[in-house]
């Protein structure tokens, strides 16, 4: 990555690798809260010169450090160590200055600050609009105060305070005269606090106390999550990295913990992204799933509003909180232009119940379930038997599945499919939603509703099998276009069908094999599009790249259906790929070039960390264990295997039912495995 980013709660801080936000920056660097940039410049200088970067470290998701120097060749140097974190709404930055000359030195350490309070959409040049105006900067004793009155009449402010003697002026410059003996150190800590009329400023702690409390929250996160260890250092590293990043990406907008989509540009709850991440996290932290479902239920569509692509019962795509949204110049308040979030909401609720048996949450969300099903049923009727999409909002998205690039749905002739478009995986989500809800509503005492859901799902299956299967490719089409024509391209989308249970058994097997052919599997993962398709190019966003979360969705189905050889290849490929990325952090995506290049080719503008990419290693765990609980039957299916390069796996305290499952898997000769169950307080029967 060519940036450093940290996040905690609703704040995130994005800078260059040297820790600075330079004046006139065009990379979007800044301190953000609620989609507003509260700090647009932060630079440190020594005697009017910028120090030289020595190292930049971001291996801890919550802490970044930068080591710099201003030296005089063959005489000595002044070292600057910058360490930063965010806690309880405040950015803390400690600068430690060390004299590495052999004699006392005097110098000026200066810091430059500014805040433009721009809406993130303006920063990214994604939108334009009418905005407010900045107010006069106030320089006081050990503090700077910058403020802005928005077009929405909301006052936003940034307070910058420090704990050492220095002088500040209205230009945002703070100067510290420093005198140091040889090897002497001096610490200066900045406390940067964003606030608004709706978000009062917090009171700062000391640097040490804030960091202690932040680290304690991470310890608590690990204690509340399942423990996993293997003899594969590569897997262990990826798993720990993912778990740590998921903690950083957790937020609460008022309805319980959920995850934002990713950093830097998607630091808000999303429908699809947050739901898929929650699905992945079921084996380690089902509490996130509950918070995600409640959050999305709170924002469920209530009316027909083409401006936001809203319809009653629809689950949102994305919510934003910046000035363009609050002044109704942008439709993201929330925006509902997604075709898959609504069935995924029901899928995740069904899976949550299968893991936990928590009927109380299902009862709580029953009104939301009914409205979501009503929306889906009306969409099925409007779409000639399939759920399809078309863009309604003028400033919305033309493609509304997870592959939302304008060129992602392309016929083999090279022409783009025209809306309304019915995506293959979305029909699978609808099928899975109805099939998984049917036994749950039967438990709730409504046998008639359960039967109706089951029958509707089976009718959808029959229509789908007759309309989407491409016999010549042994694969399902990615979509049907406005004329119900197959979009005849081999892509990864149908791989999501495997977890749904929709494909007929022989076609499911054929599909799993098709996805692993050389034109789809590049050695590191399954490509989004076949190299033989008209729309393929390896450096595309959706037309031939490799997305870890996409592979994980496919992997859930491979594991569920017992396709262990294919699952093992996907796991091994992504594990190998992870070792090439900084801190072993799987990115949002990487290019689709084959592994013969010797390394995965990075995608230039990928988001990292990304929540559903971080959750991929948890899906590895579930697939390796062959772990699929069913609270309706009070059973746990367990059919483990280990991929090449791993001979032992132990996991402790996986939350299932009313308790926990702890299990160890050890490779014997060949492909047989010894399984030891050393805790089962779930109340469920193990089926091996």
């Amino acid at each position: 990555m060519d940036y450093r980013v940290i996040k905690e709660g609703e704040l995130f801080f994005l800078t260059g690798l040297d820790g600075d936000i330079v004046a006139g920056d065009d990379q979007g660097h800044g301190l953000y809260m609620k989609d507003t940039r509260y700090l647009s410049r932060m630079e440190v200088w020594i005697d009017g010169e910028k120090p030289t970067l020595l190292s930049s470290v971001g291996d801890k998701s919550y802490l970044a450090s930068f080591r710099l120097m201003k030296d005089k060749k063959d005489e000595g140097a002044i070292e600057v160590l910058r360490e930063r974190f965010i806690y309880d709404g405040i950015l803390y930055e400690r600068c430690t200055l060390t004299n590495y000359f052999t004699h006392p030195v005097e110098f000026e350490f200066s810091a430059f600050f500014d805040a433009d309070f721009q809406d993130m959409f303006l920063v990214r040049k994604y939108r334009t609009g009418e905005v407010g105006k900045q107010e006069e900067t106030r320089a006081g004793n050990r503090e700077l105060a910058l403020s802005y009155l928005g077009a929405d009449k909301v006052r936003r402010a940034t307070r910058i305070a420090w704990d050492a003697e220095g002088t500040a002026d209205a230009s945002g410059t703070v100067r510290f005269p420093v005198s140091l003996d040889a090897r002497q150190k001096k610490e200066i800590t900045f406390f940067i606090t964003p606030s608004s009329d709706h978000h009062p400023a917090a009171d700062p702690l000391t640097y040490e106390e804030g960091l202690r409390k932040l680290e304690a929250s991470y310890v608590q996160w690990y204690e509340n999550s399942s423990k996993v260890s293997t003899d594969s250092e590569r897997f262990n590293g990826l798993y720990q990295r993912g778990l740590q990043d998921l903690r950083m990406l957790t937020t609460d907008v008022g309805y319980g913990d959920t995850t934002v989509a990713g950093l830097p540009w998607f630091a808000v709850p999303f429908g699809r992204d947050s739901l898929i991440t929650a699905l992945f996290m079921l084996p380690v932290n089902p509490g996130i799933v509950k918070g995600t479902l409640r959050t999305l239920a709170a924002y469920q569509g209530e009316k027909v509003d083409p401006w936001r692509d809203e319809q009653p019962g629809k689950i949102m795509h994305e919510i934003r909180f910046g000035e363009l949204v609050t002044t109704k110049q942008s439709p993201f308040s929330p925006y509902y232009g997604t075709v898959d979030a609504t069935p995924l909401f029901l899928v995740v609720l069904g899976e949550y119940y299968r893991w936990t048996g928590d009927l109380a949450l299902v009862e709580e969300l029953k009104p939301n379930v009914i409205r979501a099903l009503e929306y889906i049923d009306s969409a099925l009727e409007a779409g000639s038997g399939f759920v399809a999409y078309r863009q309604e909002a003028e400033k919305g998205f033309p493609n509304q599945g997870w592959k939302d690039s304008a060129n992602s749905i392309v016929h083999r002739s090279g022409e783009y499919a025209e809306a309304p478009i019915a995506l293959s995986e979305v029909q699978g989500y609808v099928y899975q939603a109805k099939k998984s809800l049917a036994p749950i509503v039967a438990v709730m005492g409504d046998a008639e509703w359960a039967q109706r859901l089951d029958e509707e799902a089976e009718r959808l299956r029959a229509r789908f099998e007759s309309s989407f299967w491409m016999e010549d490719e042994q694969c399902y089409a990615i979509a049907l276009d406005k004329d119900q024509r197959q979009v005849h391209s081999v892509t990864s989308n149908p791989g999501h069908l495997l977890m749904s249970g929709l494909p007929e058994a022989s076609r499911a097997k054929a599909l799993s094999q098709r996805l692993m052919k050389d034109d789809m599997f590049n050695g590191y993962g399954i490509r989004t599009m076949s190299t033989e398709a008209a729309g393929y190019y390896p450096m595309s966003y959706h037309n031939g790249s490799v997305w870890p979360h996409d592979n994980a969705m496919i992997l859930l189905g491979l594991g569920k259906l017992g396709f262990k050889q294919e699952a093992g290849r996907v796991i091994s490929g992504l594990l190998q790929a992870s070792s090439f990325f900084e801190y072993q952090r799987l990115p949002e995506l990487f290019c689709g070039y084959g592994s013969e290049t010797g390394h995965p080719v990075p995608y230039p503008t990928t988001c990292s960390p990304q929540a559903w990419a971080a959750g991929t290693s948890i899906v590895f765990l579930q697939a390796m264990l062959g772990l699929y609980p069913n609270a309706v039957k009070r059973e746990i299916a367990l059919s483990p295997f280990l991929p090449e390069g791993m001979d032992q796996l132990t996991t402790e305290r996986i939350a299932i039912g009313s308790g926990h499952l702890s299990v160890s898997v050890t490779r014997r000769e060949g492909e047989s495995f010894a399984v030891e169950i050393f805790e089962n307080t779930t109340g469920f029967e193990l089926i091996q």
Side-chain angles (χ1 to χ4, degrees):
M1 297 190 301
D2 60 356
Y3 58 82
R4 286 281 173 256
V5 62
I6 56 174
K7 175 190 169 296
E8 176 67 10
E10 296 195 27
L11 273 66
F12 77 88
F13 191 34
L14 172 71
T15 71
L17 291 175
D18 61 358
D20 275 351
I21 313 167
V22 301
D25 166 76
D26 63 356
Q27 302 299 307
H29 296 162
L31 176 66
Y32 290 85
M33 180 178 75
K34 293 286 189 180
D35 294 307
T36 300
R37 183 160 65 177
Y38 280 81
L39 201 63
S40 56
R41 186 185 185 193
M42 181 179 181
E43 298 180 73
V44 299
W45 291 43
I46 295 176
D47 285 339
E49 295 182 13
K50 200 165 184 176
T52 302
L53 178 67
L54 296 172
S55 68
S56 177
V57 180
D59 59 330
K60 294 180 180 177
S61 301
Y62 55 87
L63 183 70
S65 66
F66 313 86
R67 197 175 298 273
L68 309 104
M69 71 169 184
K70 182 179 184 294
D71 72 325
K72 186 175 286 187
K73 187 172 175 58
D74 297 331
E75 289 190 33
I78 302 299
E79 178 194 72
V80 184
L81 176 62
R82 304 174 68 179
E83 300 167 289
R84 64 172 59 134
F85 64 88
I86 297 167
Y87 181 71
D88 196 23
I90 298 174
L91 169 65
Y92 294 77
E93 172 144 345
R94 181 172 66 190
C95 298
T96 304
L97 310 171
T98 305
N99 175 16
Y100 280 105
F101 286 92
T102 58
H103 53 80
V105 295
E106 294 184 355
F107 58 92
E108 181 183 82
F109 176 70
S110 52
F112 302 87
F113 298 96
D114 199 3
D116 60 11
F117 298 97
Q118 279 198 348
D119 187 292
M120 183 181 286
F121 285 152
L122 295 175
V123 174
R124 295 176 61 198
K125 300 179 174 57
Y126 187 61
R127 293 277 190 272
T128 58
E130 299 291 327
V131 298
K133 60 181 181 179
Q134 288 183 254
E135 299 178 320
E136 183 179 356
T137 298
R138 300 190 307 277
N141 182 30
R142 295 198 181 190
E143 75 168 33
L144 280 169
L146 303 93
S147 61
Y148 171 87
L149 183 62
D152 54 4
K153 307 305 179 186
V154 173
R155 178 164 278 105
R156 297 168 174 87
T158 302
R159 178 179 180 267
I160 304 161
W162 50 89
D163 64 355
E165 290 298 330
T167 59
D169 60 41
S171 72
T173 304
V174 188
R175 294 181 171 87
F176 301 90
V178 181
S179 298
L180 295 176
D181 290 333
R183 299 299 176 92
Q184 187 180 2
K185 298 177 185 290
K186 179 180 179 64
E187 291 182 354
I188 301 172
T189 302
F190 295 98
F191 310 87
I192 303 170
T193 309
S195 64
S196 74
D197 291 342
H198 305 310
H199 194 290
D203 294 324
L205 305 170
T206 65
Y207 181 96
E208 293 76 13
E209 180 67 4
L211 182 58
R212 186 191 67 79
K213 289 190 172 187
L214 178 61
E215 290 183 328
S217 73
Y218 272 77
V219 170
Q220 188 65 49
W221 169 262
Y222 298 137
E223 290 178 351
N224 291 341
S225 301
S226 305
K227 313 284 188 300
V228 181
S229 64
T230 76
D231 63 344
S232 166
E233 289 305 312
R234 185 175 284 174
F235 173 82
N236 294 344
L238 180 63
Y239 181 82
Q240 287 303 125
R241 165 56 53 201
L243 201 60
Q244 186 180 115
D245 283 349
L246 286 166
R247 162 60 183 82
M248 174 178 64
L249 295 169
T250 297
T251 195
D252 184 349
V253 295
Y255 306 96
D257 285 342
T258 184
T259 56
V260 302
L263 297 177
W265 306 125
F266 306 108
V268 292
F270 274 61
R272 173 195 309 121
D273 301 55
S274 298
L275 284 165
I276 288 176
T277 303
L279 180 66
F280 291 176
M281 292 183 69
L282 272 167
V284 299
N285 198 321
I288 291 288
V289 187
K290 181 182 287 191
T292 299
L293 290 166
R294 283 176 168 160
T295 298
L296 295 175
Y299 290 105
Q300 189 172 27
E302 296 180 350
K303 62 183 182 296
V304 175
D305 183 357
W307 164 245
R308 301 191 300 164
D309 276 328
E310 180 182 6
Q311 295 183 49
K314 201 173 183 182
I315 298 298
M316 74 171 186
H317 170 66
E318 161 186 8
I319 187 167
R320 295 287 179 169
F321 303 95
E323 183 180 8
L324 294 187
V325 167
T326 57
T327 54
K328 297 185 174 13
Q329 299 179 76
S330 172
F332 289 78
S333 60
Y335 174 62
Y336 291 85
T338 173
V339 70
D340 49 11
T342 307
L344 278 170
F345 175 82
L346 301 175
V347 167
V348 172
L349 178 60
E351 288 301 303
Y352 173 81
Y353 178 79
R354 291 169 74 93
W355 279 80
T356 66
D358 181 2
L359 200 61
L361 184 67
V362 182
E363 293 279 9
E364 174 189 330
L365 298 180
K366 184 177 177 181
N368 306 96
V369 170
I370 292 171
R371 291 199 296 273
L373 286 169
E374 287 173 346
Y375 163 74
I376 288 171
D377 289 343
S378 65
L380 285 167
E381 183 176 350
S384 300
F386 300 111
V387 173
Y389 66 84
R390 71 160 67 241
Q391 178 185 349
E392 300 290 344
E394 179 186 352
K395 297 183 179 182
F397 298 145
N399 281 323
Q400 298 185 358
W402 83 263
K403 294 178 181 174
D404 54 9
S405 301
N407 67 340
S408 61
I409 314 299
V410 56
H411 286 281
R412 60 181 167 186
S413 64
E415 65 176 312
Y416 298 150
E418 294 186 44
I421 294 170
L423 293 169
S424 60
E425 76 274 19
V426 173
Q427 317 316 314
Y429 302 154
V430 172
Y431 174 85
Q432 185 175 357
K434 295 197 172 194
K435 291 293 280 190
S436 63
L437 285 173
I440 299 173
V441 300
V443 170
M444 296 166 66
D446 196 331
E448 182 180 344
W449 187 17
Q451 183 178 350
R452 187 167 67 251
L453 287 170
D454 196 70
E455 291 173 351
E456 290 168 353
E458 290 303 322
R459 288 196 293 272
L460 173 60
R461 183 214 288 261
R463 292 194 301 273
F464 182 87
E465 290 283 22
S466 65
S467 300
F468 278 79
W469 182 250
M470 302 185 298
E471 184 65 29
D472 59 331
E473 291 286 4
Q474 291 293 287
C475 184
Y476 294 98
I478 183 176
L480 303 182
D481 68 6
K482 68 172 185 176
D483 298 318
Q484 299 279 293
R485 289 188 305 153
Q486 290 183 352
V487 179
H488 203 287
S489 296
V490 175
T491 67
S492 61
N493 297 55
H496 296 208
L497 295 166
L498 295 171
M499 75 169 186
S500 73
L502 184 153
E504 182 270 327
S506 65
R507 287 182 173 178
K509 184 176 181 179
L511 173 60
S512 69
Q513 293 171 344
R514 181 66 186 86
L515 294 171
M516 302 309 298
K517 287 189 175 181
D518 290 345
D519 63 314
M520 285 297 290
F521 186 74
N522 78 338
Y524 297 122
I526 297 170
R527 295 181 176 98
T528 47
M529 181 178 284
S530 164
T531 59
E532 298 171 357
Y536 170 78
Y537 58 110
M539 68 295 291
S540 68
Y541 198 51
H542 289 127
N543 291 13
S545 53
V546 176
W547 288 63
H549 95 276
D550 184 33
N551 280 252
M553 290 290 276
I554 296 168
L555 192 57
L556 282 174
L558 293 174
K560 189 174 185 179
L561 297 175
F563 297 141
K564 296 178 180 180
Q565 181 179 355
E566 291 83 358
R569 288 183 66 195
V570 173
I571 292 170
S572 295
L574 285 171
L575 281 175
Q576 184 181 0
S578 73
S579 65
F580 289 93
F581 294 102
E582 186 181 43
Y583 307 127
Q584 212 185 343
R585 177 180 278 148
L586 281 172
E588 178 187 17
L589 74 155
F590 51 91
C591 294
Y593 297 99
S595 57
E596 64 272 10
T597 59
H599 60 87
V601 176
Y603 184 79
T605 58
T606 184
C607 284
S608 184
Q610 188 88 350
W612 56 17
T616 296
S617 62
I618 302 173
V619 178
F620 292 179
L621 172 66
Q622 185 178 354
M624 289 188 297
L625 291 174
L627 181 65
Y628 294 88
N630 187 339
V632 176
K633 296 182 178 180
R634 302 190 66 79
E635 293 177 349
I636 301 172
L638 186 69
S639 180
F641 80 97
L642 298 176
E644 184 178 344
M646 186 185 298
D647 295 324
Q648 195 277 330
L649 162 68
T650 299
T651 181
E652 301 175 51
R653 297 184 62 75
I654 297 177
I656 299 174
S658 58
H660 296 90
L661 178 70
S662 299
V663 59
S664 178
V665 181
T666 305
R667 187 187 299 274
R668 291 172 173 162
E669 291 295 323
E671 291 301 314
S672 64
F673 303 94
V675 180
E676 179 185 0
I677 308 298
F678 50 95
E679 179 188 21
N680 183 9
T681 57
T682 65
F684 293 4
E685 179 185 0
L686 273 170
I687 307 296
Q688 297 185 58

